[in-house]
Amino acid sequence: MADMKQAERKVAKLAKEITAFAKQHGGAEGQLAYLGQMGTRIVLVGDDGGWGDLVAPTHAVAQSAAEKAGITLHESFDGEFAAKVRTGPYEWSRMAGIQIGGPSNG
């Protein structure tokens, strides 16, 4: 019984964070990505192109939190959904630094 109450509290906390993100970014959509034993990542993309993520302990908690927050979930992170993401200089520098000969991430 305690596990159920703990899951309900986690759902409520994540839903509140998702709702706050959506409010800050003019709305939001999401995608759930299984992380194995770590849980499930909730990838969020705001209507303004801002993005972020949260990690839920289970897929069921992630799904419930997204539903409670009222966001649209996508099956995969591609197409129009992925095209909404807007990156800035920091992200481009980090991505380039991963490549051989790219700028330092330090």
Side-chain angles (χ1 to χ4, degrees):
M1 188 71 168
D3 286 344
M4 190 114 144
K5 286 226 183 267
Q6 189 176 18
E8 287 173 9
R9 283 194 301 273
K10 188 64 176 175
V11 165
K13 182 178 186 288
L14 287 167
K16 186 176 178 180
E17 291 173 342
I18 293 167
T19 300
F21 177 90
K23 190 173 185 178
Q24 183 179 359
H25 295 278
E29 298 175 50
Q31 190 259 335
L32 304 182
Y34 181 65
L35 298 173
Q37 290 183 338
M38 290 178 58
T40 296
R41 172 173 283 133
I42 305 166
V43 180
L44 300 169
V45 178
D47 287 352
D48 65 357
W51 58 278
D53 67 348
L54 300 165
V55 176
T58 66
H59 187 82
V61 167
Q63 180 84 35
S64 294
E67 288 172 2
K68 186 172 183 150
I71 64 167
T72 298
L73 287 177
H74 295 268
E75 289 293 317
S76 59
F77 193 80
D78 60 8
E80 279 186 41
F81 178 54
K84 288 184 175 189
V85 174
R86 297 291 169 245
T87 55
Y90 171 77
E91 289 85 3
W92 281 105
S93 173
R94 293 279 298 166
M95 288 185 277
I98 293 168
Q99 305 300 317
I100 295 175
S104 168
N105 286 333

